[in-house]
Amino acid sequence: MNWLQSIFDASDFMPRSMCGTGWTEGLLLINQSANLIVWLAYTLIPLAIFRFWWRKRGQYPKLWLLLLFVAFIWLCGLTHANDWLVFHWPAYRFFTATDVATALVSLPTAVATFIVLEYVASLPSKKDYETVTTRLLIALQEVQALKDSK
């Protein structure tokens, strides 16, 4: 069996539901439902971020950082999908590969968080925009008043 096939081979393992005697139907239902809901959320969030990135690509600096967050969030969600799958398909080698990929993206994402927050902190606040808008409106009124007086 080649390397790629071995990652998806689950024949050496048993499903998690066969491990231990405490897996009642209710506990299985709660566990499975929670993991699927979390997986769904972790899939929708990166889709929303990717959609934003796609619409704004080229308009703002450092949008590539959003792709890093997309990968990180999606991989975190995949671990929850794996927690659901392991009850039906115990492909622990694949799950380990998923965990390694998540680990490899996690640290750069954590570092990138500082970069993103520094950039966001440098942006004008809503109050800054309101102040500038108010000053511009006053200046426009003054110019209009000068035109009207002539």
Side-chain angles (χ1 to χ4, degrees):
M1 184 179 313
N2 70 36
W3 177 81
L4 187 58
Q5 285 177 322
S6 71
I7 287 178
F8 296 100
D9 179 28
S11 63
D12 294 338
F13 305 102
M14 66 175 67
R16 187 175 289 163
S17 58
M18 296 179 74
C19 301
T21 58
W23 289 109
T24 64
E25 279 188 40
L27 183 57
L28 278 171
L29 179 64
I30 292 168
N31 180 279
Q32 298 285 275
S33 298
N35 277 306
L36 284 176
I37 290 167
V38 171
W39 169 77
L40 178 62
Y42 273 93
T43 300
L44 292 174
I45 292 167
L47 282 174
I49 294 171
F50 183 81
R51 181 174 179 257
F52 174 81
W53 173 83
W54 186 258
R55 293 175 70 200
K56 299 296 184 180
R57 65 191 185 283
Q59 293 181 26
Y60 300 105
K62 298 180 173 80
L63 277 178
W64 62 270
L65 289 171
L66 291 177
L67 294 179
L68 189 59
F69 283 94
V70 164
F72 171 70
I73 295 166
W74 185 78
L75 284 166
C76 287
L78 189 56
T79 63
H80 285 276
N82 291 347
D83 283 342
W84 177 82
L85 283 170
V86 75
F87 283 89
H88 311 285
W89 176 56
Y92 283 99
R93 290 179 192 93
F94 171 71
F95 303 151
T96 300
T98 301
D99 289 342
V100 168
T102 306
L104 291 173
V105 172
S106 293
L107 192 56
T109 304
V111 171
T113 302
F114 289 96
I115 296 168
V116 169
L117 292 178
E118 188 67 30
Y119 173 72
V120 170
S122 72
L123 296 174
S125 69
K126 182 179 177 184
K127 184 177 180 183
D128 294 335
Y129 282 114
E130 289 171 350
T131 301
V132 168
T133 302
T134 301
R135 288 180 183 168
L136 285 171
L137 288 173
I138 291 169
L140 284 171
Q141 289 170 353
E142 290 172 356
V143 167
Q144 189 61 46
L146 284 172
K147 279 185 173 181
D148 292 343
S149 67
K150 290 183 179 182

